């Protein structure tokens, strides 16, 4: 049933993709040459020439769309995967069409029409696929087009797998029970244990199972192999849930080397070209911020000088990339003798703050000089907030994976901060959100965090901002 539904969806998407490609090709001709919006210098080409090229366009589209993975249909497919596949497919198709036009010496085909064709095709394909998936997911969430699943294991990872499947009701995957041997069965399962590992083939047939999720801990690798062996004669989809809590904050890649699967572990996606992209973004945005905020920073500096004795800026040692120390800048918001008794965490209603400092810390304005830290390369605009070395050594002993935060540059703002985990809030939650950011980084994620930071500064009350 899964395969029949998938084949139906593939046919549905293929039909729409080719139809919209044809419409885009002909619409681009009409808009370019017959609407009067664009000047025509070499005469209007015959419509029949574009019409005769259409079969070749559709053939190129079908091949490139398939090559780009636009028809890899599965229930857990995310829209960002769809977006990447469609963008790649349409881009490849446009390149192929241009190459064909060059080879055919098709002088009648306009570059402007080609650009319009590419844009119209891309947007229309994305729109139809978005609408289609929304409709399919709504139907699945209401009980239509369901498929059944078994979860192998009864431990923490297995229970989490069941909770996740229940939360993504749009996938239409319904877990019906656990499969586990008597010796390993745990308590507190929210679904029945239907049988043992040896009974898996029989359970698959009895309950019309289409998906099996293997959620066993790492120390039961031999049992995972037993599961794969038991299911080798069935046609169910088998998914292995990785139990890698000790590797939080890493991304995983797989590579085939002469038939051998190699799993690559990287501490973060900030490597190679990604590092260059992030650095360029940091420099450009920091320069823009410094220019735009220069009057405000000058005004704050004047107020700091007038309202309390002491320096304008406060330099404090913090841990950054790879645990290396740097001096972080802030507008001084506390008395000069604030740490006469030694380093202390800031708390609510901290008496060490100046009156102006209370306002600055509540609105994050004391952090503005850190844009200069970004320019110098000590920090990034977005990243885990840096901590003092004296506290880092303490936290690293009690918080798992704490030092994984230092795999990237520290940031002025971060994913933890825009979600309310800042200051003297839950340290474990802050680390959890920081590690999520590290493993899911991309340029758009940074821009999203920057937007949320500005939005919360302007329109939301800052929790734990003291």
């Amino acid at each position: 049933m899964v395969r029949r539904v998938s084949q139906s969806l593939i046919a549905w998407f293929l039909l729409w993709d080719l139809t919209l490609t044809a419409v885009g090709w002909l619409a681009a001709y009409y808009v370019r040459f017959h609407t009067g919006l664009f000047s025509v210098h070499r005469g209007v080409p015959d419509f029949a020439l574009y019409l005769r090229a259409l079969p070749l366009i559709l053939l190129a589209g079908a091949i490139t769309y398939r090559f780009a993975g636009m028809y890899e249909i599965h229930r857990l497919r995310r829209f960002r995967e769809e977006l990447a596949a469609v963008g790649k497919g349409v881009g490849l198709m446009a390149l192929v069409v241009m190459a064909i036009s060059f080879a055919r010496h098709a002088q009648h085909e306009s570059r402007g029409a080609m650009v319009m064709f590419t844009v119209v095709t891309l947007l229309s394909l994305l729109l139809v696929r978005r609408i289609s998936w929304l409709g399919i997911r709504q139907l699945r969430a209401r009980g239509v087009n369901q498929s059944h699943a078994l979860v192998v294991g009864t431990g923490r990872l297995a229970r989490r797998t069941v909770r996740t499947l229940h939360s993504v009701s749009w996938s239409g995957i319904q877990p019906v029970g656990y499969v586990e041997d008597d010796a390993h069965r745990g308590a507190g399962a929210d679904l029945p244990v239907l049988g043992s590992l040896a009974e898996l083939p029989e359970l698959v047939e009895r309950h019309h199972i289409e998906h099996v999720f293997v959620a066993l801990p790492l120390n039961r690798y031999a049992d995972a192999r037993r599961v794969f062996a038991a299911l080798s004669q069935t046609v169910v989809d088998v998914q292995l849930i990785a139990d890698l809590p000790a590797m939080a904050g890493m991304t995983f890649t797989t590579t085939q080397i002469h038939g051998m699967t190699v799993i690559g572990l990287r501490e973060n996606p900030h490597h190679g070209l990604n590092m260059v992209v992030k650095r360029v973004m940091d420099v450009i945005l920091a320069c823009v911020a410094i220019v735009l905020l220069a009057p405000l920073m000058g005004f704050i500096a004047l107020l700091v000088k007038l309202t309390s004795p002491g320096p304008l800026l406060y330099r404090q040692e913090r841990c950054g990339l790879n645990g290396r120390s740097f001096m972080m800048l802030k507008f001084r918001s506390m008395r000069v003798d604030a740490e006469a008794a030694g380093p202390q965490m800031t708390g609510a209603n901290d008496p060490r703050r100046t009156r102006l400092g209370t306002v600055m810390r509540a609105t994050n304005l004391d952090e503005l000089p850190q844009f200069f830290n970004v320019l110098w390369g000590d920090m990034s605009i977005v990243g885990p907030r840096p901590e003092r070395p004296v506290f880092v050594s303490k936290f690293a002993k009690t918080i798992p994976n704490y030092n994984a935060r230092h795999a990237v540059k520290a940031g002025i703002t971060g994913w933890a901060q825009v979600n309310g985990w800042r200051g003297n809030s839950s340290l474990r939650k802050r680390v959890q959100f920081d590690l999520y950011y590290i493993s899911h980084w991309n340029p758009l994620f940074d821009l999203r965090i920057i937007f949320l930071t500005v939005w919360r500064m302007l329109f939301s009350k800052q929790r734990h901002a003291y």
Side-chain angles (χ1 to χ4, degrees):
M1 181 176 178
V2 174
R3 285 167 175 75
R4 286 200 298 271
V5 172
S6 295
Q7 292 299 325
S8 300
L9 287 177
I10 290 173
W12 168 265
F13 286 128
L14 179 61
L15 175 64
W16 272 107
D17 291 346
L18 296 182
T19 300
L20 293 173
T21 300
V23 170
W25 178 252
L26 300 179
Y29 167 83
Y30 177 78
V31 173
R32 174 65 181 85
F33 297 111
H34 291 285
T35 59
L37 297 175
F38 304 93
S39 58
V40 180
H41 301 290
R42 293 186 296 176
V44 177
D46 189 355
F47 178 70
L49 295 174
Y50 271 74
L51 202 58
R52 279 202 296 267
L54 187 56
L56 201 56
I57 303 299
L58 295 180
L59 178 62
I63 294 173
T64 55
Y65 295 164
R66 175 69 180 83
F67 181 77
M70 288 173 56
Y71 305 111
E72 294 177 3
I73 305 299
H74 58 81
R75 288 179 176 266
L76 297 176
R77 188 175 176 94
R78 297 280 183 174
F79 183 67
R80 59 175 173 265
E81 299 174 46
E82 200 79 51
L83 181 64
V86 172
K88 186 190 300 183
V90 173
L92 284 173
M93 183 268 298
L95 291 175
V96 170
V97 170
M98 286 189 285
I100 293 174
S101 299
F102 180 79
R104 293 170 55 228
H105 302 287
Q107 301 295 329
H108 60 279
E109 292 178 7
S110 160
R111 284 174 293 182
M114 178 60 67
V115 171
M116 282 186 280
F117 164 58
T118 304
V119 173
V120 169
T121 302
L122 175 64
L123 295 179
S124 59
L125 261 61
L126 286 174
L127 178 63
V128 167
R129 281 174 173 255
R130 184 62 168 169
I131 294 172
S132 297
W133 279 118
L134 285 175
I136 292 168
R137 290 179 174 184
Q138 285 293 324
L139 291 173
R140 287 173 175 171
R142 295 175 182 175
V144 179
N145 184 222
Q146 301 294 295
S147 64
H148 297 151
L150 289 175
V151 177
V152 178
T154 54
R156 170 191 54 81
L157 187 63
R159 294 194 298 273
R160 181 182 176 189
T161 301
V162 169
R163 290 196 301 270
T164 301
L165 291 174
H166 282 152
S167 68
V168 292
S169 57
W170 48 262
S171 69
I173 300 176
Q174 292 294 327
V176 299
Y178 296 101
V179 178
E180 183 60 287
D181 291 335
D182 291 337
H184 298 286
R185 292 184 184 180
D190 47 356
L191 288 175
V193 179
L194 302 178
S196 65
L197 302 188
E199 298 174 290
L200 259 175
E202 178 186 344
L203 294 173
V204 166
E205 184 175 354
R206 183 192 310 164
H207 296 280
H208 307 290
I209 299 300
E210 296 155 8
H211 307 272
V212 174
F213 293 88
V214 183
L216 297 173
L218 282 175
N219 60 3
R220 295 184 59 191
Y221 176 72
D223 287 336
R225 294 187 64 179
R226 285 176 55 205
V227 171
F228 297 139
L231 296 174
S232 62
Q233 301 303 316
T234 67
V235 293
V236 295
D237 294 326
V238 183
Q239 306 287 336
L240 176 65
I241 308 298
D243 182 25
L244 299 171
M247 296 181 180
M250 293 185 178
T251 56
F252 303 91
T253 60
T254 57
T255 306
Q256 293 290 330
I257 302 178
H258 292 290
M260 179 176 63
T261 301
V262 178
I263 300 177
L265 307 180
R266 283 198 300 266
E267 294 248 336
N268 61 79
H270 301 214
H271 64 280
L273 183 60
N274 287 345
M275 291 181 62
V276 177
V277 171
K278 186 167 176 65
R279 182 59 184 155
V280 169
M281 286 178 58
D282 281 340
V283 171
I284 293 174
L285 293 175
C287 288
V288 171
I290 289 171
V291 170
L292 294 179
L293 297 174
L296 176 60
M297 287 194 281
F299 180 64
I300 293 174
L302 178 63
L303 290 179
V304 171
K305 196 65 177 175
L306 294 176
T307 56
S308 65
L312 298 174
L313 297 176
Y314 179 60
R315 293 174 174 82
Q316 191 175 69
E317 185 181 11
R318 297 292 179 106
C319 282
L321 179 64
N322 296 323
R324 290 195 298 267
S325 296
F326 69 97
M327 301 305 293
M328 189 181 77
L329 299 178
K330 299 179 72 171
F331 282 122
R332 185 174 55 81
S333 59
M334 291 190 174
R335 301 191 312 266
V336 176
D337 62 347
E339 294 197 330
Q344 303 175 48
M345 296 289 289
T346 308
N349 302 315
D350 197 308
R352 299 173 298 161
R353 298 174 300 176
T354 64
R355 283 184 296 176
L356 177 62
T358 301
V359 176
M360 287 196 298
R361 296 178 77 93
T363 56
N364 301 309
L365 294 177
D366 60 324
E367 313 283 0
L368 293 181
Q370 289 161 35
F371 283 110
F372 290 99
N373 285 117
V374 174
L375 280 184
W376 298 333
D378 296 327
M379 295 178 66
S380 177
I381 291 180
V382 180
R385 284 295 293 161
E387 195 50 83
R388 301 173 70 175
V390 62
F391 295 129
V392 168
S393 59
K394 175 184 174 182
F395 297 152
K397 296 176 182 178
T398 57
I399 306 296
N401 304 306
Y402 182 83
N403 279 328
R405 302 168 72 251
H406 300 134
V408 298
K409 288 182 180 179
I412 299 176
T413 185
W415 185 232
Q417 283 64 47
V418 297
N419 282 281
W421 302 108
R422 49 169 294 171
N424 206 16
S425 60
S426 168
L427 188 58
R428 290 181 182 272
K429 279 290 186 182
R430 284 160 55 192
V431 171
Q432 176 185 337
F433 277 82
D434 286 339
L435 296 182
Y436 179 88
Y437 165 77
I438 291 172
S439 60
H440 292 81
W441 177 84
N442 61 65
L444 292 179
F445 197 9
D446 271 6
L447 294 177
R448 177 186 175 189
I449 292 172
I450 292 170
F451 171 79
L452 290 174
T453 300
V454 176
W455 180 269
R456 280 159 173 64
M457 285 180 62
L458 295 176
F459 303 109
S460 301
K461 182 178 180 180
Q462 301 290 301
R463 292 192 299 162
H464 310 294
Y466 35 74

